[in-house]
Amino acid sequence: MVESGAERVRDGVHTEPYLTAGGTYQLNLVCFGHGSARMRFTPAHGGTEIEVPCDQSVVRRRVTGRERMRIDVDGDRGASGVVAWEIDATD
């Protein structure tokens, strides 16, 4: 495991994990509560914006390590609950 955590949906997840350039990683994210959240990567080469329903479904995304990558998860208007995530190396 590289990094993990849990935050309230209203606070969101805002992290810049250390990922080895060229390494392959699995991001697992789940939201418990009501409504939905949006996950996005900066720079956008990590993937497109993804809707994360707060229905306990696990959202998985494979990412390739870059020098810098930021992952942001923000709750949609009226969303509540908890967002938990973990990043695992797959190499």
Side-chain angles (χ1 to χ4, degrees), residues 51-80:
E51 182 176 359
V52 180
C54 291
D55 63 359
Q56 302 180 26
S57 299
V58 177
V59 174
R60 292 181 174 89
R61 175 67 75 196
R62 185 169 298 242
V63 295
T64 302
R66 306 282 184 184
E67 291 179 14
R68 294 190 55 127
M69 178 187 295
R70 181 172 175 88
I71 300 168
D72 291 293
V73 181
D74 293 299
D76 288 339
R77 186 179 196 117
S80 64

Side-chain angles (χ1 to χ4, degrees), residues 16-39:
E16 291 185 29
Y18 176 77
L19 304 177
T20 303
T24 305
Y25 299 87
Q26 179 76 34
L27 169 63
N28 300 306
L29 187 116
V30 63
C31 184
F32 299 86
H34 301 284
S36 61
R38 301 267 171 202
M39 177 170 56

